[in-house]
Amino acid sequence: MKKNLSSIFFIWSLAVSPVFAQLIGAGIRITRQDILNSPAPETNIALTANRLTMYFSSSRGGNWWNQDDSDIYYAIRLDTLAPWSKPLPLPTPINDELNQDEVYISPDGSTLTYQRWSYDWALEGGPYFETTRVGNRKWQNPNTLGGEITEFFIKTGFRATDGMTRLWDGSIIFAAGPEFKQPMDLFYSKRSDNGDWQKVVPLLCNTKQDERSVFLAADGKTLYFASNRPGGKGGLDVYRLELREN
């Protein structure tokens, strides 16, 4: 996604949110992508840098491993003006009988990160997992991020998240809080050269209000998120900030 908001791709929901209303009011054209949609919710869109492959979460069900929980789907197109293909679910063991959500794809399309809460998520090193592939080969078995990220959720007791993104160096930013309908904050953890995670810390952009739905643009430094902080138009508004090396 580029800095120009007109390049953002949305999967249209049945109810127009305040954020969508603001975009329409700004003269931005929004087109419902019927081939991607289903009667169930479609959320958490992730695009490769070339904008030819889209990943998202959907609870449309109907897969042999899952009937109604959220799975990760993907769709492709030949060029940026071509229509999207009919979405297909990623295979097991990425998708399974539990919810897979908050998908992130690296700009080159080689690394997929997502969230999965299980009954033994703490022992597994969850709730975030990643999988890689080389070229067009199949996705490898997912590995947990674990380390300080798992410890953060154990110590805080947070069980609600709403949005996750990765930085060019592999670091992670996610929104988390005690419950989904309560205010959340944005948190950051840097991955060291040896692969270990540093202590999770809150971003300085947080307020006492709600910050969530974080997304890193393809330039690797422009961070978008939603917040209902004072000074906005009402409800959740879209904000952006520029990340610096420190």
Side-chain angles (χ1 to χ4, degrees), residues 145-195:
L145 298 191
E148 287 292 331
I149 297 177
T150 301
E151 286 299 312
F152 168 83
F153 285 97
I154 294 175
K155 292 177 181 178
T156 61
F158 289 174
R159 296 294 182 270
T161 60
D162 189 11
M164 173 270 299
T165 193
R166 302 287 295 272
L167 277 62
W168 63 270
D169 62 354
S171 302
I172 188 171
I173 295 177
F174 57 87
E179 294 184 16
F180 188 80
K181 292 185 178 181
Q182 293 185 13
M184 296 188 185
D185 285 320
L186 303 183
F187 296 90
Y188 165 80
S189 180
K190 180 178 176 61
R191 180 170 256 177
S192 304
D193 293 338
N194 62 2

Side-chain angles (χ1 to χ4, degrees), residues 77-145:
R77 57 183 179 177
L78 297 178
D79 58 65
T80 56
L81 298 179
W84 290 103
S85 67
K86 182 179 179 179
L88 296 172
L90 291 178
T92 57
I94 299 176
N95 286 322
D96 60 21
E97 72 278 4
L98 299 176
N99 280 306
Q100 283 70 226
D101 204 349
E102 295 188 19
V103 60
Y104 166 83
I105 187 67
S106 61
D108 63 359
S110 66
T111 302
L112 186 80
T113 310
Y114 63 96
Q115 180 198 81
R116 175 183 178 272
W117 291 95
S118 69
Y119 302 109
D120 298 324
W121 67 269
L123 295 176
E124 291 179 346
Y128 287 111
F129 295 75
E130 67 179 357
T131 177
T132 59
R133 68 177 178 182
V134 178
N136 292 323
R137 298 178 183 176
K138 70 177 183 178
W139 293 102
Q140 305 300 308
N141 288 338
N143 295 313
T144 61
L145 298 191

Side-chain angles (χ1 to χ4, degrees), residues 39-50:
E42 278 74 43
T43 60
N44 300 115
I45 304 168
L47 287 167
T48 54
N50 62 13

